[in-house]
Amino acid sequence: MKEYVIGLDYGSDSVRAVLIDAVTGTEIEAEVSYYKRWKQRLFCDASENRFRQHPLDLLEGLEATIKAVVSRSGVSSEAVKGICIDTTGSSPIPVTKEGIPLSLTEGFEENPNAMMVLWKDHTAIAEANEINHLARTWGGEDFTKYEGGIYSSEWFWAKILHVVREDEPVKQAAYSWMEHCDWITFALLENVALEDFKRSRCAAGHKAMWHESWGGLPPEEFLEKLDPYLAELRGRLYTETFTSDEVAGHLSAAWAEKLGLSTATKIAVGTFDAHAGAVGAKVEEHTLVRVMGTSTCDISISSPDVVHDKTVRGICGQVDGSVIPGAVGLEAGQSAFGDLLAWFKDVLSWPIDNLVLTSAILSEEQKVQLKEEIEADFIRKLSDAAEAIPHNEAIPVALDWINGRRTPDANQELEAAITNLNMGTRAPHIFKALVNAICFGSKKILDRFDEEGIEIKSVVGIGGVARKSKFIMQSLANTLNVPIKVAASDQAPALGAAVYAAVAAGIYPNVIEASKTLGSDYEAEYLPQEEHLAEYAALMQRYEVLSDFVEKHITKPKKNIKEHV
């Protein structure tokens, strides 16, 4: 009998499943499902940086995608040997003692604080500041040191602290909290108690200050200084964590019936999308895999002998086994990449949406057709026009901090800026400045790795931006001055999840061997253009001048809350 595995990849807007032949690596079927409540922007407020998702979107997407790939493929239920789930993170969700999300219980159905707090939610800036202050002043171990030395508002403890201080009913009802990758994995299992469930090493190490050297999560004495609730919560979380090549349990009878699968199907420990993406792109030491979508997550691995006890400043963590068991996973990234270009597109679209497409002259059918044509060509035409700008023509200088800065040195209170505008500045000039900004933000990350002794010799790009925009990828190669390969698969994170599933199911002995067969090939390579390197280096210097000025003189005062230290 042939053997198959499923990788399930949860992104910000949709979930996608791939069914993979575990012997040949052939993609048999793939399916994408968009979150219907999220598309309506329910439970979100962009002006407050509040982004929440309803768990029903996540469950409905799981059912729709896996059922589709299984039914269309015609493979037998017994042939699907394993499933692994990757998700965004840190995206915690409050749950009952039984592991049921609060928003699926009576009284919390419409409460945003009972929903999953999505990775890009930045409502917890003040709480992150408080965690950082305590970590440096309480007189004990700095529990942020393996997470770059700065705790972010995008992460587990800060988000929980914000929600429970804001919402007493949620605080009282939330028995525990689970990362998205843990909760979805748990929901699929048969007869596993919450206290026995295997939590993700990747999620815990990169976002929850978990480390073996201090016995797991930060101790109660530290957490109690932030809030007594956190100290109590610690005992209802976990001590041990597990890598994603391990088995979390078997598919429950209820889900097996829904999905057309068997209870013999093994469910691997969950993980984060970027880390799975690195595996799907065949990550190696000295290679940085850039998951390039709305934001970027940049993943590399290092031998424990190289990192040893060294802590890398200003990144999103270094965790043993978070990518490849036996290697240290290193994570960095930008809070906005595609999001910065999407913002500019929305700005330029306003007169089209509010003047052209509301015109009584056009029929409804014409309006729909026109909008589709504009959507299809918008970024491509901007890219073509930007690329055609003569190199001696003045280009504005922009910053990529439209959603704060993830790395190096997390600071979600930073905001973007544009300077050097003049009467000759047109939309393509600004677009080119924004593309430069996301490339220069990427260069700061590579520079930090280099400063900290982590050598990066090449870059692999995965995701929609990497595959669709030659202009952005060539600009990035010229900025970084390293070759960039582009993974051929649209589904590298899901492929990586399938790799983990194949190892957990016992089909391959380890992740490296599995990735050789199941991982993505490369479809393009961008080499630095010698004739443009000096130009990009000069533009990079202007970016650094502007970023230093904005950070020192324009940044808003740090958000503060009542001291609990």
Side-chain angles (χ1 to χ4, degrees):
M1 181 186 291
K2 282 197 168 187
E3 296 179 310
Y4 302 88
V5 288
I6 292 174
L8 195 67
D9 169 44
Y10 279 91
S12 300
D13 304 315
S14 61
V15 57
R16 56 210 57 82
V18 294
L19 178 68
I20 303 294
D21 184 318
V23 175
T24 66
T26 304
E27 181 183 298
I28 305 301
E29 285 288 348
E31 180 70 14
V32 177
S33 175
Y34 291 88
Y35 312 136
K36 65 181 183 181
R37 297 165 190 81
W38 173 256
K39 285 185 78 171
Q40 301 172 51
R41 290 296 180 256
L42 299 180
F43 318 114
C44 298
D45 184 349
S47 67
E48 296 291 329
N49 282 318
R50 187 185 78 194
F51 298 97
R52 310 293 167 85
Q53 285 186 341
H54 199 292
L56 285 179
D57 273 345
L58 313 176
L59 292 174
E60 289 166 3
L62 181 153
E63 184 173 356
T65 54
I66 294 184
K67 278 178 71 173
V69 298
V70 171
S71 63
R72 286 203 304 262
S73 69
V75 305
S76 68
S77 58
E78 292 79 14
V80 179
K81 300 300 183 181
I83 298 173
C84 182
I85 293 148
D86 73 73
T87 71
T88 65
S90 178
S91 300
I93 186 168
V95 298
T96 67
K97 191 172 185 178
E98 295 72 35
I100 300 169
L102 286 193
S103 49
L104 299 184
T105 65
E106 187 176 354
F108 294 98
E109 298 91 340
E110 302 296 320
N111 185 343
N113 288 325
M115 309 292 171
M116 187 180 78
V117 186
L118 191 64
W119 66 268
K120 67 193 287 185
D121 187 296
H122 289 160
T123 52
I125 288 174
E127 287 74 16
N129 289 340
E130 187 177 340
I131 291 170
N132 285 315
H133 174 74
L134 179 62
R136 286 151 187 67
T137 60
W138 83 296
E141 181 75 77
D142 180 356
F143 298 110
T144 70
K145 71 180 184 180
Y146 289 106
E147 291 176 321
I150 303 173
Y151 202 75
S152 170
S153 64
E154 293 184 346
W155 298 347
F156 187 77
W157 293 108
K159 287 177 170 176
I160 294 171
L161 187 56
H162 176 78
V163 169
V164 300
R165 284 180 172 165
E166 185 176 80
D167 197 319
E168 185 65 24
V170 168
K171 177 180 178 180
Q172 294 300 323
Y175 173 79
S176 191
W177 289 73
M178 303 182 79
E179 281 287 355
H180 182 187
C181 67
D182 285 331
W183 172 66
I184 287 287
T185 301
F186 176 79
L188 290 178
L189 302 183
E190 186 81 85
N191 297 326
V192 176
L194 195 58
E195 58 269 24
D196 298 326
F197 173 67
K198 294 180 179 179
R199 305 272 190 142
S200 166
R201 168 77 56 83
C202 176
H206 285 284
K207 311 301 179 188
M209 297 188 282
W210 182 95
H211 199 267
E212 287 178 312
S213 66
W214 48 72
L217 296 168
E220 289 183 8
E221 309 90 83
F222 177 82
L223 297 172
E224 190 167 23
K225 290 179 181 297
L226 294 166
D227 194 291
Y229 173 83
L230 297 187
E232 296 170 13
L233 175 63
R234 185 189 188 278
R236 303 194 293 270
L237 289 172
Y238 51 88
T239 300
E240 290 186 85
T241 63
F242 300 85
T243 54
S244 293
D245 58 334
E246 298 197 48
V247 178
H250 286 77
L251 188 64
S252 71
W255 274 108
E257 185 176 355
K258 282 183 185 180
L259 302 176
L261 293 174
S262 162
T263 56
T265 302
K266 293 177 180 177
I267 310 299
V269 172
T271 189
F272 282 161
D273 50 1
H275 303 73
V279 170
K282 303 179 182 177
V283 65
E284 298 176 335
E285 198 165 1
H286 306 304
T287 296
L288 189 71
V289 176
R290 309 207 77 217
V291 186
M292 299 163 67
T294 54
S295 67
T296 73
C297 279
D298 301 339
I299 305 295
S300 189
I301 59 170
S302 182
S303 164
D305 295 336
V306 173
V307 178
H308 195 48
D309 294 328
K310 180 180 178 58
T311 55
V312 182
R313 293 182 302 118
I315 65 170
C316 300
Q318 52 193 82
V319 180
D320 185 12
S322 66
V323 182
I324 304 287
V328 176
L330 303 162
E331 178 190 351
Q334 293 165 271
S335 292
F337 197 82
D339 261 356
L340 181 59
L341 307 181
W343 162 82
F344 187 54
K345 174 179 170 292
D346 288 344
V347 171
L348 295 184
S349 297
W350 190 93
I352 299 170
D353 295 338
N354 292 277
L355 297 175
V356 178
L357 296 180
T358 58
S359 170
I361 298 173
L362 299 175
S363 68
E364 289 304 314
E365 184 178 344
Q366 288 173 321
K367 290 176 184 177
V368 171
Q369 183 179 355
L370 180 58
K371 187 168 181 62
E372 287 176 351
E373 289 175 0
I374 292 170
E375 288 283 338
D377 287 344
F378 209 107
I379 296 297
R380 181 180 62 80
K381 288 195 172 181
L382 272 174
S383 296
D384 290 345
E387 194 170 12
I389 296 172
H391 289 284
N392 60 354
E393 203 163 306
I395 299 297
V397 181
L399 300 181
D400 52 313
W401 300 337
I402 198 82
N403 200 20
R405 183 178 64 206
R406 181 176 292 159
T407 60
D409 306 321
N411 187 345
Q412 302 307 152
E413 290 170 290
L414 293 173
E415 295 179 337
I418 303 176
T419 189
N420 293 86
L421 301 171
N422 59 52
M423 290 297 290
T425 302
R426 299 289 183 264
H429 295 83
I430 298 175
F431 181 78
K432 187 168 186 176
L434 298 178
V435 170
N436 287 344
I438 57 180
C439 293
F440 298 153
S442 306
K443 180 68 162 62
K444 295 290 283 186
I445 292 170
L446 255 71
D447 288 348
R448 177 57 60 87
F449 276 125
D450 182 62
E451 291 163 8
E452 295 291 302
I454 305 298
E455 186 180 14
I456 302 296
K457 297 179 181 178
S458 64
V459 172
V460 173
I462 66 175
V465 175
R467 298 198 69 208
K468 294 175 184 176
S469 180
K470 294 180 179 179
F471 172 58
I472 293 175
M473 297 309 294
Q474 187 59 62
S475 298
L476 189 62
N478 290 341
T479 300
L480 302 182
N481 195 17
V482 296
I484 303 176
K485 291 181 180 178
V486 176
S489 175
D490 273 331
Q491 314 291 358
L495 273 182
V499 167
Y500 289 130
V503 179
I507 301 170
Y508 289 90
N510 57 59
V511 171
I512 292 174
E513 289 301 312
S515 68
K516 289 177 182 177
T517 299
L518 307 186
S520 175
D521 292 326
Y522 307 113
E523 66 177 10
E525 184 173 16
Y526 296 87
L527 301 175
Q529 298 169 318
E530 290 291 334
E531 66 272 25
H532 296 310
L533 295 184
E535 171 196 348
Y536 277 91
L539 288 168
M540 178 76 189
Q541 288 183 335
R542 295 169 66 197
Y543 170 91
E544 291 188 320
V545 169
L546 179 59
S547 62
D548 288 346
F549 178 80
V550 168
E551 187 161 11
K552 290 175 182 175
H553 302 291
I554 309 297
T555 305
K556 295 177 293 187
K558 281 189 175 291
K559 289 186 179 179
N560 247 325
I561 51 180
K562 181 181 177 182
E563 284 288 338
H564 290 261
V565 182

